[in-house]
Amino acid sequence: MAGQGLSGWTRCFHPAPAAEMRLVAFPHAGGSASAYRALSSLLSPAIEVHSAQYPGRQDRLGEPVIDDLHVLADKLVDVVSALPKPFALFGHSMGAIVAFEVTRRLEARGLVPAALFVSARRGPDLYKEKSHHLADDTTFLAEVGRLGGTAAMVLDDPDIRALALPALRGDYKAVETYRYRPGPDVSCPVVALAGDADPVLDVQDLENWREHTTGSFETELFKGGHFYLDDNLDAVAARVLGKLTVSP
């Protein structure tokens, strides 16, 4: 049984109270806290992972989906700031923007994370006009399937698809309507990660993250597509451990 964080907003699958570092992980569009269960296992007990559980999925299925990333970040900053220090943040795809916006809010409160890991996402002020969330179910699901990952497989089941569609559409709306708001960015180190064959990411756009931190900046590419994490968990875990200078 995973431990629940403040107001049920996070899940901790491998509690490690003696860990010297926490990692707060933010899932992709349509994703849930369990997306980071395997990574949590690899990082424990050196790093205790707290995975965000957005409303509208799994055990929060009855709650309305938050389809505005700024609102979502406003909700999550209180959750993250209540965790033991020090901590770092990790976000994949949509989660990268959520993690960035949460970090901005944390730093405005004087809380600077040890690092911000942004995965499979271009920089925050680079956007493309898209409206997949308004498409009919067939067209929308085809787009979701194009990215691969677990979601593409489970959506073949009609019952699961009916339960998952509201969260997926809400998350896609949140991503597609997100606009970067000029203002203070972050000062913590930023590490940008991606798959070298991601169908929706120009790896050159990873460099844009450099412009949004006054701290150090690094990038690393892995073999794979948008969900490269699935095939590179050991390497990603080693990268996180190395950056956070925690011995496995």
Side-chain angles (χ1 to χ4, degrees):
M1 176 69 73
Q4 293 195 10
L6 182 66
S7 301
W9 275 90
T10 62
R11 303 290 178 271
C12 184
F13 298 106
H14 304 92
E20 297 180 1
M21 179 71 65
R22 270 77 189 165
L23 182 71
V24 191
F26 301 89
H28 56 280
S32 60
S34 58
Y36 291 109
R37 185 188 293 271
L39 182 62
S40 172
S41 178
L42 290 173
L43 293 177
S44 181
I47 297 177
E48 184 179 72
V49 176
H50 293 257
S51 185
Q53 184 76 305
Y54 309 139
R57 64 217 71 205
Q58 290 189 336
D59 54 352
R60 301 190 71 184
L61 190 63
E63 300 177 49
V65 176
I66 297 176
D67 58 10
D68 183 314
L69 295 190
H70 290 289
V71 173
L72 188 57
D74 287 341
K75 299 284 188 182
L76 284 162
V77 65
D78 289 333
V79 178
V80 178
S81 61
L83 291 174
K85 316 314 185 273
F87 53 68
L89 282 71
F90 187 109
H92 181 75
S93 195
M94 180 185 89
I97 295 296
V98 178
F100 169 70
E101 290 292 348
V102 171
T103 301
R104 295 177 89 182
R105 288 156 174 76
L106 287 169
E107 293 202 1
R109 299 182 179 188
L111 298 172
V112 180
L116 168 62
F117 296 87
V118 288
S119 170
R121 179 70 192 184
R122 57 187 175 273
D125 60 347
L126 299 178
Y127 63 90
K128 299 178 181 178
E129 293 291 346
K130 294 181 179 180
S131 56
H132 295 302
H133 69 281
L134 297 175
D136 62 84
D137 286 354
T138 301
T139 304
F140 177 66
L141 290 170
E143 172 61 22
V144 174
R146 185 168 73 94
L147 300 183
T150 304
M153 294 182 286
V154 300
L155 289 176
D156 288 337
D157 184 307
D159 293 330
I160 295 177
R161 185 166 62 240
L163 291 174
L165 263 174
L168 269 169
R169 282 194 183 276
D171 287 356
Y172 265 70
K173 178 183 178 182
V175 172
E176 292 173 351
T177 59
Y178 167 80
R179 294 296 180 268
Y180 168 80
R181 296 173 181 171
D185 285 321
V186 304
S187 63
C188 68
V190 172
V191 181
L193 312 172
D196 61 1
D198 191 322
V200 293
L201 175 68
D202 184 338
V203 294
Q204 298 299 318
D205 289 344
L206 283 180
E207 285 292 322
N208 178 260
W209 286 105
R210 185 189 301 273
E211 301 175 16
H212 297 282
T213 181
T214 57
S216 64
F217 177 76
E218 306 164 50
T219 63
E220 184 166 351
L221 294 180
F222 298 85
K223 291 292 185 183
H226 193 65
F227 288 95
Y228 72 92
L229 285 171
D230 294 344
D231 298 318
N232 295 277
L233 271 176
D234 288 340
V236 172
R239 187 71 172 85
V240 171
L241 284 164
K243 181 62 180 176
L244 299 179
T245 64
V246 177
S247 299

